[in-house]
Amino acid sequence: VFISNENIEKLAQYDWPGNIRELENYIELIVNTEVVPDIYNLNFETNPVAYDNSKLQSSDFVLCSLKDLEKDHIIKVIDSTNKNITQAALVLGIGRNTLYRKMKEFHIECYAS
C-alpha cells in the first residue's frame, strides 16, 4: 500500500488520543483493507459498533465482518497468483492444506485457467 507524503504528514501531525493502540489499529486497518483512510474521519473506540459510518467516504472502505474480509483477501491473492494454490498459500503465510480448508469454508472455487 502506497502512503502519500500528504498522508504521512497528516499522520505525523495527528494527536493520537488513543496512544499506540490507536496507531496499531490504524496500521492494521491499512494492511487489512489495502487503503489508507483519512485519519480524521475515523473513530477508534473500543466498541466496534461505535464506528460512525456517516464519516466514512465511499472511497475509503466498507465496514464488514472479519470473515468477509478474510474471504475477499483470499480471493484477491488467489487471483493475483493466477490461481496457483501453492503460491497463494506462500503469499498468505499459511500452508496449502490450510488454504484448501479456508476455500472450502468460504465456498471459494478455484479452477486454473
Side-chain angles (χ1 to χ4, degrees):
V1 174
F2 175 76
I3 302 177
S4 69
N5 288 336
E6 178 185 344
N7 280 336
I8 290 174
E9 189 66 31
K10 284 181 182 180
L11 294 174
Q13 292 178 0
Y14 186 67
D15 188 35
W16 298 105
N19 259 332
I20 192 69
R21 287 192 178 124
E22 184 177 6
L23 177 60
E24 284 177 349
N25 288 340
Y26 183 73
I27 291 170
E28 186 176 338
L29 180 66
I30 292 171
V31 170
N32 290 333
T33 61
E34 299 176 358
V35 296
V36 182
D38 184 1
I39 190 69
Y40 296 104
N41 285 336
L42 293 177
N43 180 12
F44 290 110
E45 297 192 15
T46 54
N47 181 358
V49 177
Y51 284 107
D52 184 358
N53 288 340
S54 66
K55 292 182 179 180
L56 297 174
Q57 299 174 6
S58 60
S59 63
D60 287 341
F61 65 98
V62 176
L63 292 177
C64 64
S65 73
L66 187 56
K67 283 196 175 279
D68 288 340
L69 187 62
E70 182 180 21
K71 177 181 178 179
D72 289 345
H73 186 65
I74 289 171
I75 290 169
K76 284 180 188 176
V77 171
I78 289 172
D79 288 344
S80 72
T81 59
N82 294 318
K83 301 186 183 348
N84 183 321
I85 298 301
T86 301
Q87 191 72 29
L90 285 171
V91 169
L92 291 166
I94 59 177
R96 281 177 18 140
N97 288 340
T98 301
L99 179 53
Y100 279 121
R101 183 179 48 77
K102 289 185 176 289
M103 289 170 62
K104 183 177 180 181
E105 174 186 348
F106 294 129
H107 307 287
I108 299 171
E109 294 183 6
C110 177
Y111 303 106
S113 42

